[in-house]
Amino acid sequence: MKKEGESDDSIAESIEVKSYPPLKLGVMESLVQAAMPFVNEHFILIKKVFDIIEAEKDRGTLSNPIAHSTRAKITRKYGKQLDKILTSMCETENGCKVISVKSLMDLEQLIQGAVAWLILLTTGLRNIDMRNLVIGCCQPSKRFDLLNYLITDI
């Protein structure tokens, strides 16, 4: 709490920023190996699933939780492929086998976690800085095909 006569600069000086030691290489390797399949192997599948959800949301037909018809559509189109990512994703609802809302939420959290780890491990950003990233902040290099830049305020 700011005391009378105390400037913002003196408050900032008294706040200590705690840094953490870097992760050991073996730990980082395990994290990357667990996260990379979401990018390398399952990206197109995951994108198609969440494109269906977004399309329903844009049409205003998506209720909360995700509508039975939307989940049935996803199950029909991608159920077997999704079983490779998360097992036992389906439940019987109104006599029909559909992906559960919980499974879709778990899938979303897994993807967010995988991508967050990859960003944190490959950019050197801190967790707090990563929270300020916005859609479109990843810009490809004009000179190198494999290089991208994250444009953000730190």
Side-chain angles (χ1 to χ4, degrees), residues 9-151:
D9 289 336
S10 63
I11 293 173
E13 288 173 9
S14 67
I15 297 173
E16 184 179 331
V17 177
K18 233 183 192 181
S19 61
Y20 297 96
L23 294 173
K24 293 185 172 67
L25 190 57
V27 172
M28 287 184 9
E29 183 180 352
S30 296
L31 289 169
V32 170
Q33 284 178 351
M36 284 306 291
F38 289 101
V39 176
N40 289 336
E41 298 170 32
H42 306 300
F43 173 76
I44 293 170
L45 169 64
I46 292 166
K47 183 176 181 334
K48 287 178 181 178
V49 168
F50 285 100
D51 282 349
I52 290 172
I53 294 171
E54 287 300 315
E56 297 293 326
K57 198 184 298 182
D58 292 344
R59 272 189 236 132
T61 57
L62 186 63
S63 59
N64 197 4
I66 300 167
H68 174 84
S69 60
T70 303
R71 292 182 288 122
K73 184 183 204 179
I74 292 168
T75 304
R76 202 171 41 256
K77 285 186 164 189
Y78 307 112
K80 288 181 182 176
Q81 293 170 293
L82 286 170
D83 276 341
K84 293 176 186 173
I85 301 172
L86 287 176
T87 56
S88 66
M89 292 183 72
C90 294
E91 60 185 27
T92 303
E93 201 172 284
N94 299 333
C96 181
K97 194 171 179 180
V98 296
I99 291 176
S100 68
V101 173
K102 182 184 181 324
S103 293
L104 286 172
M105 291 171 69
D106 289 347
L107 179 62
E108 182 180 30
Q109 286 183 334
L110 272 172
I111 295 162
Q112 287 175 349
V115 172
W117 274 113
L118 289 173
I119 290 170
L120 290 169
L121 292 171
T122 58
T123 64
L125 285 176
R126 298 174 299 172
N127 187 12
I128 194 160
D129 299 325
M130 189 178 73
R131 293 179 200 168
N132 295 324
L133 296 177
V134 295
I135 293 173
C137 70
C138 185
Q139 301 294 318
S141 170
K142 292 180 174 119
R143 294 188 291 167
F144 303 104
D145 290 339
L146 297 175
L147 185 62
N148 291 286
Y149 296 101
L150 288 177
I151 312 300

